[in-house]
Amino acid sequence: MPSSRSSRRVLFATIPLLVSLACATSPSATPLSSAGSIDGSARTTVVGPERGSLVIAGGGALGPEIIERFISLAGGPDARIVVIPTAGGADSYAPDWNGLALLRNAGATRLTVLHTNSRREADA
């Protein structure tokens, strides 16, 4: 059974992954927010990626609604999802790495682990 510390490491490695994977899926840019400074000065509109969606979550466990929304944005349970767990810090990850359980348990069926430190390989 994995330790609580190990589970947190997997979760924190997965969060940036979810954000980066979701960025490549949806076809439209959407304004995320308009925010001004604390003193009320000029507001700036922040726009999401030109293509894709952002799934931003932080702290604690990810609820099923977040994982289900991510899978939906990726194209549904049969969409190809590539997990790049480099932020986890391990030297290697097995194809059946336990970090995939979060997605697999939510119904994702076509999961691939790609461990690389090369941006070029990850982008390919």
Side-chain angles (χ1 to χ4, degrees), residues 28-40:
S28 63
T30 305
L32 297 176
S33 67
S34 294
S37 65
I38 293 173
D39 66 3

Side-chain angles (χ1 to χ4, degrees), residues 61-76:
L62 297 177
E65 67 283 353
I66 294 171
I67 301 304
E68 290 167 9
R69 178 70 174 145
F70 170 79
I71 291 171
S72 173
L73 288 168

Side-chain angles (χ1 to χ4, degrees), residues 27-55:
S28 63
T30 305
L32 297 176
S33 67
S34 294
S37 65
I38 293 173
D39 66 3
S41 60
R43 302 182 83 140
T44 303
T45 297
V46 178
V47 177
E50 192 172 308
R51 293 180 358 179
S53 298
L54 297 174
V55 176

Side-chain angles (χ1 to χ4, degrees), residues 83 85 92-102 104 111-114:
V83 178
S92 65
Y93 294 88
D96 62 344
W97 171 59
N98 67 355
L100 298 176
L102 187 66
R104 189 177 293 117
L111 301 170
T112 301
V113 175
L114 172 63

